[in-house]
Every structure is written in structure tokens, then in C-alpha cells.
Amino acid sequence: MFRIPTSAQALGAVVALASVAAATPAGAQETIQYSVSNEFRYGIGEQWPGETPIRKEYLENLLNTRIYAGDFTLGFRVQVDKPREYGRDTVGLTEYYAEFRRSGLRARGGTFYHLVDRGLIFNTFESRPLGFETRTTGIKLDYEIPELGASVFGGVLSYPDITSSTRVEEYVVRGASGEVRPITGLALGGGFVSATGERTRTGFSRPFDAYLRQVFLRGTWEGLSAHVAIADKRSVLDSVTRVGTGSTGYGTGLYGMLGYQAELAGVTAEYKNYRFDIVDPSEMLSGQRPTRALPFQYPPTLIPEHDKTLLARNPHVVDMNDELGFQVEALLHPSEDLNLTLLGTAGSRHNAWGVDSALGETVYGRLNAKPLAFPELKDPSYSPYWEAFIGAEYTATEELAFGFALQRRDNVIFYEPATVGAPSRSETYKASTIMLESIADLGSANNLHAILELQHVLDTKKATAAVDSLGIEAYEGRYNNALLTLEYSQSPLWAVNARVEYSTTDREEGGRQVWPVVGGTYRIGDAHTLGLQYGSERGGVVCTGGVCRYINPFTGVRFSVVSKL
């Protein structure tokens, strides 16, 4: 069984591979190049995790170095995150690798991230703004030619749980994947991953094994494209590990895509059916059960990630264990000056659950008679969600461009009753948002960028009942948000920006209704960019690639220096 148990041994493998790089054939001349980048971030102020603010300070610094010598690359990252804004504090050498490339072969020893097809069985990445990373320390080999591609990899994957400040899960992973391309535009492939969850002081109490398999078919013909991937996952638990879980230990996942692209229009339809670990409601909220979709399983979410603040706020949080849905997107180009985007997405859980009493214990049972093929959007007990979006970009002149977007999002989270006869409840979040944007070129590299977002929200989590004795009226949870963002820049030297958000509700942390922020950047030479920001930022759920975190409101100063040599 492949394993690199310590960072020292992994670094030794990097040094060994690097020594091969030094052995240049006689008479050959290698040009050594390098790149160095450093990112420093510091912030201090107050954060609102609840009704009472707490002091918040973070200091983060990333130093990345790359050395290129012919077919060889050496990479290092020195990381100082103490204290870190999100995630666990880290100080030391966190990334190190040596990589060799030649004639379609790529060999890498050290740390790496990896993706198998669309991520149903393996997709590791880093999102520093969310404090998420699933870096593997080990060896990865890839081979790529027009007729086929193949990859094998193995090592130790460490995952700091973003829902816990102390829990760290470690896995020994081994995997292989490949695809053949018998004719142009057609590929057939598959993959296999074996993972052992290690027993650690802050992770799993007992080790377990998981095995994941996948096959996929991908094809293109003229303007048509299609992709289908099927995966399954089996968890092997001993009798002690199985205590307290009703999971079968077996699950499946399906992803499909069909698209058409023409000169003036393109349409893509996608489908997801993830059943990697369907459990009853008593276990749904337990994110640490070993049978769940593992932290390196991140298939397509089919949830749009918008780049505007209110459009992106509080999106649906995908559950890779139990998620059924689709997304349809159309891109239209009626003229050279106008681009349109139409998007619709929807999803739900596979089952509705009810409480029954058996042998004196409270147990859950499925209410639907057969599995769903498409999401159930009418019954709130399936936790349905949907979003409709239309966007437009119009270039009026060479100096002036406009943007427009209209969005409607409905999301329901249903909570089953805990005991027989107890009431169920649900949380409903509905938002209608309009966005207007303009970009004006004022000449001499001066630009003005303005964004206005207006939003109407129904959030039942903020609803309160009337208290007549205290003169408190009932509140449904309906309110409005408005956000104005202005940026003036003289590219590429400097930029200043200001934004202010206003809400009609006073049921945010601290009762705040106005969140103003001012900031700017200044470039020193060609290598360094300084950034400074001060103000109050409103919190909310933020998601990237299926990873979601609640960002607490923050008031204070942020400072950054980014250097690239």
C-alpha cells in the first residue's frame, strides 16, 4: 500500500527528484528561470458571530516560489497564517514539489491537487477566502497523447474541517484514471479511488476504508457536446464504527450534460443525481459520519456563482450526499454589441420523511413511494430550491458599456419533527434582485465603474410572532436591500472605491442597517500593489465550488500587499 506518512519523507522525495533535474545531459544548456510572489494580508476590527461583537484580527502571508529549468519545475510555498481569518492557523512550509514534463509525461512528487473527470470521485482544491483546502502529499503521474490520457496518484490527504476549529481528517488515498479517444471528438474513460480514513486524535476515532469507481463518456460533433458520468461509493465499516448510523454504506452519483453551440446562440442543459449517502433526518446534520460523501468529492453543483454581491448572497448549499436537480443555460448573441444570458436551475432532496414510533423509539420513514427522477418543487418537505436569471451586456460605444440582471431565487430548508406528534418547521428564503451596471472610459486610462443592486427578501428566519403585552407586532421577515458600488481608476496605477449597503430590517447583528466601505489600491512599479479598506461588511453565506461558509459581519481595517517578481 502506497503511503508517505510524514512531511519530511515527502520533502525527501522532492529533493530526490530535484537532484535528477540537476543531472543535465552533457553538452546541454538549460536556462534557469524563476517566479516569486508574495501576498500579505492584515485585518483588525470587530466581528459579529452573534448579538455581541468580538475582537477580530488576522495576519496572513503567502510566499510562493517557482524555479524552471528545462523540463523541470521546483515549487515551494511558505505560509504564515497566525491568526488566520478563516481556517486553522498554519506556519511553515506547506507546499513543495518537483515536477518533470516531457513527451506527454508529467511526474510530480510532493504536494498536489487533482481532478478526476468532473469530480464525482476526486476533486481537490484550495479556497483561501473560505479556509478550505484538500492538499495531498505524495506522488502523481500523468501521461497525455491525442489517443489517450492516464493518471495515477497516491499520498496522504489532510482536510481541516471548516465547520470545526480543531477537527482534522486524514486519508491515505490511492487512485488511477484514464480515457481513450478512438476517434476525434469521442472519449471513454473511468477511474478508481481507494481511501482509508485514518484514526487521529482530532479526526476519526476508528479507521475505515472507502472505494469509489466511475465511468464516463464525452463527445463533441460539430456544434453538439455531451458528457455523462456515473460513479458509486462503498464504505467498509467494522461493527464498532457502524454503531449510531443507519447508512447502507453504499451510494451512487450521476452527472449529465448536453449542449449546442452556434454562432449566435448556445444552450447547455445539465442534470445531477447524487445519492452518495442518503440517511434519515437524525443523521443529516452529522457532517462527520464516515459514510458521507468525502471531502474530496466535489462534482458539479449546478448552482450559479454570481460575481455581484446581492446576486450571490445566501445561495443554496449543495448536499453532495442527497441532491437531485438540473440547470439550463442559454447564451445569446443577437448582435456584436449585445450578449444575453438566460439561466434556470432547480433541485430538491430525494425523499420526504415522516416520524413513526417503533419498539418505543422514534424512527423516520420515507413518505414517497418511489425514487424521484426530477426534483420535487411543490412540496416543502423535500427542501426544494429554484432560481431564474436573465442578464444582459450591451456595448453602447467604445467608451460606454452597460450591464443588467434580474434574478428570482426560492430556497426552502425543511426540518422534520424530532418526535411523534411534534411539529415540523421550515426556513424559507426568497429573493428578487435587480442589478444595473455601467462602465465608462473617461480617456487617459481613467475609468468609472458603477453598480446598483436592489433586492426584496422574504427570510422566515428573521420572522417573529406578536407580543401584545409588550406592544411588539408580528414580523413576517420581509425587507429590502440596496447596494451601491462606485470605483474610479487610473489603470494600472491606482483605484479608489466606495460602497454602501442599506437594509430596511434591523434584525441583523447589532441592529445595523447601513454598511459603508471605502478602499483603494496603489501600484508601486511593476511588481507591488498596496490595498487598504475600511468600513463595515455585511455577513452571509458564501459558496465556491460547492464549499460554503457563513461569513460573519465585520467592521474594521483591511490591508494587503501583493508582490510578483
Side-chain angles (χ1 to χ4, degrees), residues 272-279 283-285 289 292-293 297 299 301 303 316-324 348-350 385 546 548:
K272 62 182 176 183
N273 192 335
Y274 305 146
R275 307 172 55 93
F276 286 113
D277 192 35
I278 295 181
V279 294
E283 293 188 68
M284 284 181 185
L285 299 180
R289 62 185 186 277
R292 76 194 190 285
Q297 285 185 266
T301 64
I303 302 296
H316 169 72
V317 178
V318 177
D319 183 359
M320 302 302 179
N321 301 287
D322 184 2
E323 189 90 10
L324 176 68
S348 74
R349 298 191 315 205
H350 286 84
Y385 74 91
C548 298

Side-chain angles (χ1 to χ4, degrees), residues 235-467:
S235 302
V236 180
L237 310 178
D238 60 25
S239 58
V240 176
T241 308
R242 185 170 288 280
V243 172
T245 178
S247 171
T248 63
Y250 180 80
T252 60
L254 169 65
Y255 166 79
M257 182 277 292
L258 183 63
Y260 177 73
Q261 182 65 48
E263 183 177 353
L264 299 180
V267 179
T268 302
E270 297 176 278
Y271 175 78
K272 62 182 176 183
N273 192 335
Y274 305 146
R275 307 172 55 93
F276 286 113
D277 192 35
I278 295 181
V279 294
D280 68 45
S282 63
E283 293 188 68
M284 284 181 185
L285 299 180
S286 175
Q288 300 175 357
R289 62 185 186 277
T291 58
R292 76 194 190 285
L294 297 173
F296 49 80
Q297 285 185 266
Y298 278 96
T301 64
L302 307 196
I303 302 296
E305 295 183 3
H306 301 284
D307 60 354
K308 301 299 186 293
T309 302
L310 296 188
L311 291 174
R313 178 170 292 158
N314 294 330
H316 169 72
V317 178
V318 177
D319 183 359
M320 302 302 179
N321 301 287
D322 184 2
E323 189 90 10
L324 176 68
F326 64 87
Q327 177 173 286
V328 179
E329 182 178 22
L331 303 176
L332 309 178
H333 313 286
S335 69
E336 292 184 357
D337 301 326
L338 179 62
N339 295 321
L340 299 175
T341 301
L342 305 175
L343 185 145
T345 182
S348 74
R349 298 191 315 205
H350 286 84
N351 300 292
W353 299 85
V355 178
D356 196 1
S357 180
L359 301 177
E361 298 179 356
T362 299
V363 297
Y364 291 92
R366 292 178 174 87
L367 296 183
N368 60 313
K370 59 183 179 180
L372 296 175
F374 286 92
E376 170 57 61
L377 301 181
K378 295 181 180 180
D379 190 340
S381 61
Y382 286 81
S383 293
Y385 74 91
W386 64 268
E387 177 181 336
F389 173 88
I390 179 172
E393 297 177 355
Y394 177 66
T395 302
T397 66
E398 292 184 357
E399 294 79 24
L400 186 62
F402 297 97
F404 166 83
L406 181 63
Q407 176 201 63
R408 173 59 188 265
R409 177 191 297 146
D410 281 27
N411 189 32
V412 177
I413 301 176
F414 188 81
Y415 297 94
E416 288 75 5
T419 58
V420 177
S424 61
R425 65 182 181 90
S426 62
E427 295 177 355
T428 301
Y429 181 88
K430 298 182 179 182
S432 300
T433 308
I434 185 171
M435 186 278 298
L436 302 173
E437 180 179 20
S438 67
I439 302 175
D441 183 352
L442 305 179
S444 301
N446 293 291
N447 296 277
L448 179 62
H449 187 188
I451 303 171
L452 175 64
E453 296 178 81
L454 303 173
Q455 185 178 68
H456 177 70
V457 177
L458 167 62
D459 187 355
T460 60
K461 288 190 298 183
K462 299 184 185 299
T464 55
V467 182

